[in-house]
Amino acid sequence: MKILVTGGAGYIGSHTWIALREAGHTPVIVDNFANASPRVLSRLGQLFQTEPVCIAGDIRNATLIERVIEDHGCEAVIHFAGYKAVGESMAEPLKYFEVNVGGTERLLTAMANTGVRKLIFSSSATVYGDPEILPIPEDHPLSTASVYGQTKLIVEDMLRALHASDPQWAIAILRYFNPVGAHPSGLIGEDPADTPNNLMPFIAQVAVGRRPHLNVFGNDYPTPDGTGVRDYIHVCDLAEGHVAALSLLDEPQCTALNLGTGKGHSVLEMVEAFERASGRHVPYRITDRRPGDIASCYADPSRAEALTGWRAERGLDEMCADVWRWQSQNPLGYLDVAAE
Ligand code: NAD
Ligand code: WQD
């Protein structure tokens, strides 16, 4: 299938580009490189001998999106593009509403105008707020504590309304838990522009010597060792989940699926697993809780398996080994790539 992949130069998008190519699909990327390096494209080109088809552009430009869909004959859209930093979303809410909500509305309008009504949307476990039930099923009540989370909830509501107004739409809303890991080639990985907000890239930067220690945000949560518990999922499993979810687009529907492993791991378990995988010591200090954090969050992923046959296969050691390969081969991320 020919598929428009918005944000396809980003962390999850670039791994999904690989999974799509491996499954025989033809992805076409639109990315404005707000949070990606163009060097991703040459790295993907190294893996597949030809560079990805990528149009540098913005999802807010509906005219451009319509032209790309028509020029490339795209039959479906996988929509990753947007901003994702929770703290920044509280400081700059309009930026988040404009791109994540407004940009998605423009994209949907371009799709409607070109008659493409098949969509996979990147949502997040953040729409479950502080969970009342663990593992979290898709019919768990929705709420959120951040502007970033609000943008995901608004877009989910927009998609449900769109499907109600025109039942020909086929929409898969994928709620990711905590994506980590990197492609096993060591060529592609997560490359935060500034200080990492998320645990795994922070641990990796400590292990490689870019940062002196990890701050562990609280050890007084009601969890086995007191530190926060999350459902870390290998980004390659997540990418394959998108390929599997394409099968849902054969029939009109609007369906939400959790993409997680169903297993929770604490911050200290992650530190230990990373030390095992890297052979490096990861010093840490216990600090105060991070405002807005919750104790535990992990998925009931059974619906995804029942509807698409997909389930996460890669374990914690593989996630850490792949991050370490990426981080140690590219200590400064894509900045380390000589002109390719
Ligand atoms: P990312 O920042 O690496 O990728 C997003 C991509 O979108 C980047 O390449 C960026 O340049 C591009 N982009 C941003 N604004 C754009 C615009 N206006 N027009 C065109 N391109 C634009 O993030 P990611 O981790 O790959 O996340 C992808 C999606 O998954 C996002 O929607 C994110 O909210 C969602 N998500 C991510 C996580 C996570 O922890 N990484 C968890 C749940 C959901
Ligand atoms: C994991 C655990 C922290 C950093 C966020 C977003 C969510 C989704 C994924 C996009 C927690 C602890 C972290 C550090 C630490 N993104 N931690 N020291 O908070 O589960 O989810 O990213 O949709 O919306 O909220 O992920 O990786 O930030 O934190 O102790 O330096 O690690 O307290 O327990 P989180 P995370």
Side-chain angles (χ1 to χ4, degrees), residues 10-12 31-32 34-36 58-59 80 84 123 148 152 176:
Y11 172 48
I12 302 170
D31 199 302
N32 70 355
N35 192 36
D58 199 296
I59 53 163
F80 295 107
K84 62 170 179 177
S123 189
Y148 167 73
K152 292 294 177 192
Y176 314 152

Side-chain angles (χ1 to χ4, degrees), residues 124 126 148 178 197-199 215-217 230 232 290 293:
S124 164
T126 196
Y148 167 73
N178 290 60
N197 298 306
N198 296 117
L199 179 65
N215 289 314
V216 174
F217 299 143
R230 298 289 184 276
Y232 298 93
R290 182 171 63 179
D293 266 358

